[in-house]
Amino acid sequence: MIPESFASLPLPSALLDNLADLGFQTPTPIQAASLPALLAGEDVIAQAKTGSGKTVAFGLALLARLQPSQFQVQALVLCPTRELAEQVSKEIRRLARCLPNIKLLTLCGGTPLAPQRDSLAHGAHVVVGTPGRVLDHLTKGSLSLAAVQTLVLDEADRMLDMGFADEMRHLLQACPRQRQTLLFSATFPEEIRQLSAAYQRQAREIRVAGLPDEAQLTQLFFEVADPRKRLEALLRLLGHYRPTAGIIFCNTKRGCQVLAQALGETGIAALALHGDLEQKERDQTLIRFANRSAALLVATDVAARGLDIKDLPLVINFEVSQEPESHVHRIGRTGRAGASGLALSLVTPGESQRVNLLEDYLGQPVSWSELPAAGAPLRLPAEMVTLCIEGGRQAKVRAGDVLGALTGEGGLAAAQVGKIDIAERYAYVAIQAAAAHQALQRLQQGKLKGRKVKASRL
């Protein structure tokens, strides 16, 4: 029976009260379809699109089974990227805030092993991480999976695409055989079927897939007869629709870098996000895009997987994706949570076959439109500038400390200060572009929490 409310599910009262406080009332389709099986302890293989609410589904399931007095790793969630792992960790922490003494650790590459090892030495109930880094800790003996009751493979297809098959199998074999295994995947290729058959027990199959709500999303395709004029076509679209923010998808790392640079040369603030960036660069790129220090993010599919970017009005496919499933994930980043969204795709003659495959996948024809006429050159300068401060959570720096240092006597107006992000070793603050120089001088010449700090402009 499909539950119509969370209250009708066999969840602990503390979790139900917290869901109400967080504003969760009616389960999303994937939550309604999967939670009865998840809470009954069944293995599940589920297909769901990005933004469907699957994290809340498996988060509630693993939290409902935890024994807080048993200070061992009882739940393991594997994710393909650091960004998705951090997003999942944040959501599970929100769900767990009503439960006493629950400790969650995030284990991802790109950061030193030693601090993670020290945290593990103090114990944890839930571990969320990427396969490579989790396996590193298992191999070095700093992590034990002997008490795992719930194992979640989130975006399993993407982990396989990224070459994590061996790591995933090693970790699956390291967990107890008597456990609940939950496999979430956007697609069900043969490799996923084989993984389920090998490591799940009579898994319940649940499919909740497809396009975002058509009432919220407008999707249009534009023919570009000459591939050499693709950039010109993109500039026409940007000049016509004038987005406040958007993601532009390319199929290659080099294509991302070249396009971001070309847009910058026309006066459009754009950042590139692809797999060749170091982890610190990736983190800073996402922070700058989220705080409006750039209007556009130019990304590859793998780099953009799992990003939690709210209020995104526009997605543009500069190149048509080679796989229909990837196209659906791309456009699913706009038109979310009740907001309207726009997805535009440029198509050269050599990509027409990809559009045919997409139509077969969707079971309906796509909508074509004429490119807007060329207008005056568009400029989309950055609204904000991001300043980086050496000192983050390790130094006990809080957002209020940064705001106070900037807006104290003779300082900036609070309205000139934007989003503040506190990372482990750094703090990032967005400043209105016109006030960026003043803000940087104030940080460099003043003090933060009573001491001098180094600050720079990204």
Side-chain angles (χ1 to χ4, degrees):
M1 182 176 177
I2 300 295
E4 295 183 359
S5 68
F6 287 105
S8 64
L9 291 163
L11 285 164
S13 58
L15 284 175
L16 288 172
D17 291 343
N18 188 39
L19 285 170
D21 290 342
L22 291 171
F24 290 99
Q25 297 175 342
T26 305
T28 66
I30 187 62
Q31 292 162 5
S34 65
L35 272 167
L38 296 177
L39 295 173
E42 296 181 43
D43 284 5
V44 165
I45 174 171
Q47 182 177 24
K49 66 187 181 186
T50 299
S52 61
K54 56 186 167 69
T55 305
V56 170
F58 65 70
L60 289 172
L62 67 86
L63 289 173
R65 299 186 70 187
L66 287 186
Q67 299 295 324
S69 60
Q70 183 185 351
F71 219 55
Q72 296 173 286
V73 177
Q74 300 169 47
L76 172 64
V77 183
L78 297 177
C79 304
T81 65
R82 177 179 178 176
E83 290 77 21
L84 180 59
E86 290 179 343
Q87 178 185 334
V88 168
S89 295
K90 181 179 178 181
E91 190 70 8
I92 294 176
R93 284 193 176 100
R94 287 177 71 216
L95 296 172
R97 67 182 188 178
C98 60
L99 303 176
N101 305 317
I102 297 297
K103 184 176 178 183
L104 181 150
L105 291 179
T106 309
L107 305 179
C108 299
T111 57
L113 271 165
Q116 296 177 351
R117 183 189 62 224
D118 294 343
S119 295
L120 282 167
H122 292 94
H125 297 97
V126 181
V127 164
V128 180
T130 49
R133 179 51 60 94
V134 174
L135 184 57
D136 285 343
H137 283 290
L138 181 70
T139 304
K140 295 178 184 297
S142 49
L143 172 67
S144 171
L145 301 179
V148 168
Q149 299 176 340
T150 307
L151 173 61
V152 182
L153 305 179
D154 192 14
E155 299 201 355
D157 56 339
R158 187 54 58 180
M159 284 193 279
L160 291 175
D161 288 345
M162 294 173 70
F164 284 133
D166 289 343
E167 290 90 340
M168 291 165 65
R169 291 189 176 94
H170 197 123
L171 292 168
L172 281 157
Q173 291 165 3
C175 293
R177 296 189 60 159
Q178 296 300 314
R179 64 168 189 267
Q180 183 182 33
T181 305
L182 311 178
L183 195 157
F184 288 81
S185 182
T187 59
F188 282 175
E190 182 57 30
E191 295 89 343
I192 292 294
R193 296 285 184 192
Q194 293 172 359
L195 199 67
S196 175
Y199 296 104
Q200 290 188 297
R201 298 171 298 168
Q202 298 178 320
R204 177 83 66 90
E205 184 172 319
I206 295 168
R207 289 176 177 264
V208 182
L211 284 169
D213 187 341
E214 293 180 1
Q216 299 166 203
L217 177 69
T218 300
Q219 182 177 197
L220 297 173
F221 287 72
F222 300 86
E223 183 178 2
V224 182
D226 186 346
R228 294 171 298 181
K229 295 186 177 181
R230 201 192 294 261
L231 176 60
E232 178 189 329
L234 173 64
L235 294 174
R236 287 194 191 187
L237 292 180
L238 293 173
H240 180 76
Y241 290 101
R242 310 187 73 84
T244 55
I247 295 182
I248 302 175
F249 282 102
C250 295
N251 291 341
T252 66
K253 302 169 188 176
R254 174 165 172 73
C256 276
Q257 200 66 48
V258 170
L259 180 57
Q261 183 175 340
L263 289 171
E265 291 170 356
T266 69
I268 297 173
L271 297 169
L273 183 71
H274 52 74
D276 281 349
L277 297 181
E278 295 292 332
Q279 190 61 53
K280 182 180 175 183
E281 293 177 301
R282 288 167 60 85
D283 292 344
Q284 291 180 347
T285 296
L286 292 172
I287 285 169
R288 291 171 66 192
F289 180 64
N291 69 22
R292 297 293 191 257
S293 290
L296 300 173
L297 186 69
V298 186
T300 58
D301 289 310
V302 171
R305 190 74 171 220
L307 299 189
D308 185 21
I309 300 173
K310 296 179 173 60
D311 304 323
L312 189 68
L314 175 68
V315 165
I316 297 180
N317 292 304
F318 186 67
E319 298 167 307
V320 180
S321 173
Q322 296 174 354
E323 300 174 353
E325 296 93 336
S326 294
H327 178 91
V328 171
H329 275 277
R330 287 179 177 186
I331 68 173
R333 303 196 170 279
T334 186
R336 298 170 71 169
S340 60
L342 185 63
L344 311 175
S345 298
L346 297 174
V347 185
T348 62
E351 295 168 325
S352 58
Q353 182 59 29
R354 296 179 189 175
V355 178
N356 294 338
L357 291 173
L358 177 63
E359 290 179 323
D360 290 342
Y361 180 79
L362 299 176
Q364 62 186 46
V366 300
S367 297
W368 293 86
S369 185
E370 293 290 327
L371 276 169
L378 172 70
R379 285 183 55 80
L380 278 177
E383 299 174 32
M384 314 294 283
V385 169
T386 300
L387 304 183
C388 174
I389 304 164
E390 289 193 14
R393 286 192 295 268
Q394 282 186 352
K396 310 293 189 201
V397 173
R398 299 172 302 171
D401 300 324
V402 177
L403 183 62
L406 288 166
T407 61
E409 185 177 351
L412 280 68
Q416 293 175 299
V417 182
K419 194 168 183 287
I420 299 173
D421 293 275
I422 309 296
E424 196 66 22
R425 299 180 184 181
Y426 300 92
Y428 301 95
V429 55
I431 305 292
Q432 285 185 358
H437 181 69
Q438 178 190 353
L440 184 58
Q441 280 191 320
R442 187 171 177 87
L443 289 172
Q444 291 174 334
Q445 297 171 6
K447 292 184 177 181
L448 182 67
K449 292 182 74 72
R451 59 180 179 268
K452 300 285 287 184
V453 295
K454 292 182 180 179
S456 58
R457 174 173 174 159
L458 293 182

